[in-house]
Amino acid sequence: MPAQIQGFYDTATATVSYVIFEALGGACAIIDPVLDYDAKAGRVCTGSADSIIAFVESHRLQVQWLLETHAHADHLSASAYLKSKLGGKIGI
């Protein structure tokens, strides 16, 4: 079965995070998750990461991998946040 890829575009950083999975209820990888950062206010929020969590939960996916493809000068990583929220669902 071919992999399915769901992209999540973050307008503030113009970056895309991905969830890659084969089937509903199966294993998935989350790639380059974004943590929202408001530079003017100096605040961080989790809207983009929460969208990924909602997708994972609605598709009953089991997160096996949180992958960062490169050092992110363009955005903050949401991997630690996702790991804390999906801890019981991450098979790493």
Side-chain angles (χ1 to χ4, degrees):
M1 181 180 290
Q4 298 181 56
I5 303 169
Q6 177 64 48
F8 296 84
Y9 183 71
D10 178 65
T11 56
T13 60
T15 58
V16 183
S17 302
Y18 298 95
V19 174
I20 300 176
F21 62 103
E22 190 172 65
L24 298 178
C28 75
I30 298 174
I31 301 173
D32 295 334
V34 175
L35 190 63
D36 305 327
Y37 177 63
D38 181 343
K40 285 185 178 181
R43 292 188 189 134
V44 174
C45 66
T46 59
S48 294
D50 291 334
S51 295
I52 292 172
I53 290 170
F55 180 85
V56 166
E57 290 178 344
S58 72
H59 289 77
R60 302 179 323 275
L61 299 172
Q62 301 302 311
V63 180
Q64 297 295 307
W65 306 275
L66 289 169
L67 306 172
E68 302 289 347
T69 62
H70 59 285
H72 301 289
D74 54 349
H75 71 270
L76 300 174
S77 172
S79 287
Y81 174 75
L82 290 173
K83 188 172 181 181
S84 73
K85 293 296 181 183
L86 295 170
K89 298 179 182 179
I90 296 178
I92 55 176

